[in-house]
């Protein structure tokens, strides 16, 4: 068939290096950009098949998020703006690893298994981050799509969540918003202004926010959004990409992992600051106090702030909707305790990775999900949205209920429900702080994090570690969980777990305890247990102190 002739021809321009195998991991393919040209071409092919199969527009985002600038990556976006279905992650890996001469066979295999009708039209939206390699790599995606006769729309430089939004807008025929950057800024800024405009007594200080753009796409997009929201929020942007290197000593991942402020931001005492990651789907907040002590407000604090706000509004609006928070094993024990025991919110724990949290959050009327690393959003069920909209229109209710309903409606519109979105999350947080009249310190004091430590251990094969109970317990290798259990007993308020990373060739170790020394020492002892029982390589882990 002529269709496949073109694939055969064009694929020669994007040859696969022999023997190279890569996996579609938790967040798509991710590695050094020089190994990715063939992957991009092939993901263009796969997105075209997925589009034919779903009869919808599919997204392809070229980014490696918080990885160093030399890396790149790619993820596929399904019709409603969610992560691509699990079975197609498998196909992605198969297609990526087929040697050059077997590419067509691998492609036809998928077509057959999924019964893809090749006569269907296909449409693929493409976006990319600011990495130097991204432009050429997204061109390879375009080549892949066009070689199978698919239509493309290249959005060029956009944040990951913006592309998710575009895909959702397109497939809902504009009901979610209009599939343009202008449409995105309009939707978010209108909701934000309505939430904040009538808040009394806001000082200029409260309207000021320092933002570290990680020298990435988020910085560029904030500049574009800025004129829309200027009257209510003054964003002072650092690490805007004009001189610094992407994610280098800055960005949400750096701040979260190092638990310190990024370089290039001059923070005054108590000033509210936040950092995006390299593709602007994560955000963390922080400030330093008068003793120069650094305070991080991570995804757990964000989930607490937002869920508490929503719960209060539901009470005021007299709406009987269930709010639940979805976390992972990394959630700080204090946050889980606060949510369950003080706020009486249901908490559910899932495996690490956005798709797991997203899926779990869909089970509730209102599902707030956040990873501790700052990736998250809120999902409102269709029924919940309908009840909110109807209440706003109801002329028989008192002013307090009406006001709460209106706030809820605008919050729904401000949240990017397709995926965690640093820009949208930032505006939600800013609106909640404004409406509640809270400073960043007030927010921080809702609960106190238990001291914690994350470490990594290199082993010869991380797959020897198998976990259960949302990654909180290790099933194999034998003896490891028993060893962790007895170590945990030595410390107060302690908890620890280990899991193989989905993005790096390491085993991750997490520990928390009542003191930092305790958390550090427990993390070290657990690392040693992993090293000894799970085939550690290189030097034995050394104590932190
Ligand atoms: C990816 C995931 C993120 C997760 C992280 C864990 C997506 C879009 N991103 O970045 O949610 O926290 O992997 O990495 O799913 P790890 O498996 O190396 O610890
Ligand atoms: Mg990211």
């Amino acid at each position: 068939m002529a269709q496949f002739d073109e694939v055969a021809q064009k694929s020669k321009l994007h040859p696969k290096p022999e023997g190279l195998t890569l996996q579609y991991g938790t967040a798509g393919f991710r590695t050094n950009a020089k190994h990715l040209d063939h992957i991009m071409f092939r993901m263009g092919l796969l997105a075209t098949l997925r589009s034919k199969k779903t009869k919808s527009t599919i997204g392809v985002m070229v980014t490696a998020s918080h990885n160093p600038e030399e890396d790149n990556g790619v993820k596929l976006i399904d019709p409603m703006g969610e992560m691509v279905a699990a079975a197609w992650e498998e196909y992605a890996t198969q297609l990526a690893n087929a040697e050059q001469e077997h590419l067509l066979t691998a492609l036809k295999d998928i077509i057959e298994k999924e019964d893809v009708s090749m006569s269907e039209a296909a449409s693929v939206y493409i976006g990319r981050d600011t990495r130097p390699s991204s432009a050429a790599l997204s061109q390879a995606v375009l080549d892949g799509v066009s070689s199978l006769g698919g239509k493309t729309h290249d959005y060029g430089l956009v944040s990951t969540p913006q592309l998710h939004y575009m895909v959702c807008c397109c497939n809902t025929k504009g009901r979610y918003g209009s599939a343009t950057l202008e449409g995105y800024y309009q939707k978010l800024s209108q909701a934000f202004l309505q939430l904040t405009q009538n808040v009394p007594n806001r000082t200029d200080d409260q309207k000021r926010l320092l933002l570290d753009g990680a020298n990435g796409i988020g910085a560029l997009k904030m500049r574009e959004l800025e004129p829309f929201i200027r009257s209510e929020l003054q964003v002072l942007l650092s690490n805007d990409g004009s001189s610094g290197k992407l994610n280098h000593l800055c960005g949400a991942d750096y701040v979260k992992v190092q638990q310190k402020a990024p370089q290039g931001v001059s923070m005054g005492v108590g000033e509210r600051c936040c950092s995006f990651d390299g593709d602007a789907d994560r955000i963390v907040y922080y400030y330093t106090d008068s003793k120069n002590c650094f305070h991080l407000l991570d995804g757990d604090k964000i989930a607490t702030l937002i869920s508490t706000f929503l719960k209060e509004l539901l009470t005021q609006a007299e709406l009987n909707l269930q709010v639940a928070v979805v976390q992972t094993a990394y959630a700080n024990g204090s946050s889980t305790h606060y949510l369950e025991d003080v706020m009486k919110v249901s908490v559910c724990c899932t495996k690490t990775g956005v798709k797991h949290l997203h899926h779990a959050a869909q089970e509730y009327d209102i599902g707030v999900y956040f990873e501790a690393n700052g990736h998250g959003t809120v999902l409102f069920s269709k029924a919940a949205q309908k009840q909110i909209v109807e209440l706003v229109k109801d002329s028989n209710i008192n002013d307090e209920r009406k006001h709460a309903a209106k706030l809820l409606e605008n919050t729904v519109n401000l949240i990017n429900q397709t995926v965690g979105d640093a820009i949208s999350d930032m505006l939600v947080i800013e609106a909640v702080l404004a409406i509640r009249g809270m400073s960043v310190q007030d927010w921080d004091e809702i609960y106190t994090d238990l001291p914690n430590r994350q470490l990594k251990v290199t082993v010869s094969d991380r797959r020897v570690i198998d976990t259960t109970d949302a990654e909180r317990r290790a099933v194999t290798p034998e003896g490891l969980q028993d060893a962790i259990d007895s170590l945990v007993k030595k410390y107060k308020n302690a908890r620890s777990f280990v899991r193989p990373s989905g993005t790096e060739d390491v085993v991750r170790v997490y520990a928390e305890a009542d003191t930092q020394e305790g958390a550090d020492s427990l993390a070290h002892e657990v690392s040693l247990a992993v090293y000894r029982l799970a085939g550690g390589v290189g030097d034995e882990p050394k104590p932190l102190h």
Side-chain angles (χ1 to χ4, degrees), residues 468-534:
T468 183
D469 190 18
E471 302 179 321
R472 288 174 291 193
R473 297 189 66 77
V475 187
T476 59
E478 218 188 307
L480 179 59
Q481 189 57 50
D482 290 342
I484 297 173
D485 288 342
S486 50
L487 290 170
V488 166
K489 281 198 194 113
K490 291 168 52 184
Y491 300 85
K492 213 174 143 206
N493 290 342
R495 187 170 70 91
S496 180
F497 66 90
V498 302
R499 54 176 282 277
S501 157
T503 64
E504 248 187 283
D505 196 8
V506 295
V507 175
R508 300 213 188 276
V509 172
Y510 177 90
E512 63 187 30
D514 64 335
T515 62
Q516 191 60 56
E517 292 68 37
D520 289 353
S521 156
L522 176 58
H524 169 65
E525 290 198 280
V526 172
S527 299
L528 271 181
V530 171
Y531 182 88
R532 287 175 191 154
L533 297 166

Side-chain angles (χ1 to χ4, degrees), residues 178-404:
S178 96
T180 59
L181 277 172
E182 176 81 15
Y184 173 91
Y185 297 132
Q186 289 283 2
K187 181 176 176 182
L188 264 57
S189 61
Q190 270 172 22
F192 179 70
L193 295 178
Q194 292 206 23
L195 282 167
T196 50
Q197 253 161 2
N198 299 320
V199 175
N201 308 327
R202 278 180 79 209
T203 61
D204 283 349
D205 271 359
Q206 287 162 340
K207 289 189 184 181
R208 224 170 92 99
L209 173 69
L210 270 58
L211 167 64
D212 153 30
N215 291 315
I217 187 71
L220 249 66
K221 299 297 138 181
M222 262 319 291
R223 286 241 190 282
E224 292 172 7
L225 171 70
E226 219 261 320
F228 293 80
I229 55 164
R230 192 176 289 153
S231 60
E232 293 304 317
L233 186 67
Q234 196 201 348
V235 179
L236 287 103
L237 189 57
S238 320
N239 299 325
D240 65 355
S242 52
S243 56
K245 208 171 161 182
L246 177 71
N247 298 327
H248 183 61
L249 305 176
C250 62
D253 195 62
Y254 174 86
V255 173
K256 168 76 183 157
V257 175
Q258 304 294 326
Q259 308 215 9
K260 64 179 184 203
Q263 283 197 1
V265 182
S266 45
M267 305 159 56
V269 170
E271 250 187 321
R272 204 163 69 250
C273 312
C274 65
S275 287
F276 289 179
D277 76 334
D279 63 340
D281 63 355
R282 284 199 208 173
I283 184 168
V284 293
Y285 270 69
Y286 43 91
Y287 70 96
T288 46
D289 64 22
S290 54
K291 295 187 188 111
N292 209 22
C293 180
F294 177 78
H295 294 253
L296 175 71
L297 293 97
D298 63 2
D300 303 336
K301 292 253 168 170
I302 298 173
T304 306
L305 182 77
I306 297 177
S307 56
T308 308
F309 174 71
L310 291 172
K311 200 159 182 240
E312 285 170 9
L313 289 183
L314 290 172
T315 308
Q316 285 163 19
E318 296 171 31
L319 277 174
N320 185 19
L321 296 169
Q322 187 196 9
V323 183
V325 175
V326 183
Q327 305 185 313
T328 71
Y330 289 106
N332 195 277
S334 290
S335 72
T336 316
H337 167 76
Y338 178 81
L339 287 166
E340 283 183 331
D341 301 341
V342 182
M343 283 311 298
K344 310 285 182 208
V345 168
S346 337
V347 178
C348 143
C349 183
T350 71
K351 282 160 78 170
T352 299
V354 171
K355 60 184 174 218
H356 301 296
L357 290 108
H358 192 90
H359 197 72
Q362 284 171 327
E363 299 296 310
Y364 303 95
D365 297 329
I366 301 180
V368 179
Y369 75 82
F370 270 89
E371 289 192 302
N373 64 25
H375 185 113
T377 186
V378 185
L379 305 185
F380 296 85
S381 71
K382 278 213 176 81
Q385 297 192 42
K386 191 159 169 263
Q387 283 191 41
I388 294 169
V389 172
E390 277 171 5
L391 195 64
V392 171
K393 289 197 207 122
D394 192 337
S395 50
N396 298 320
I397 57 171
N398 66 32
D399 285 354
E400 192 198 354
R401 281 186 78 190
K402 182 148 238 127
H403 181 64

Side-chain angles (χ1 to χ4, degrees), residues 396-416:
N396 298 320
I397 57 171
N398 66 32
D399 285 354
E400 192 198 354
R401 281 186 78 190
K402 182 148 238 127
H403 181 64
K406 195 79 201 128
L407 289 178
L408 280 166
E409 186 184 43
N410 282 317
T411 309
V412 173
N413 289 332
L414 185 52
I415 287 170
N416 184 344

Side-chain angles (χ1 to χ4, degrees), residues 27 30 63-67 75 160-161 276-282 375 420:
R30 224 182 259 188
T63 180
S65 183
H66 56 274
N67 282 39
K75 328 184 227 207
T160 296
F276 289 179
D277 76 334
D279 63 340
D281 63 355
R282 284 199 208 173
H375 185 113

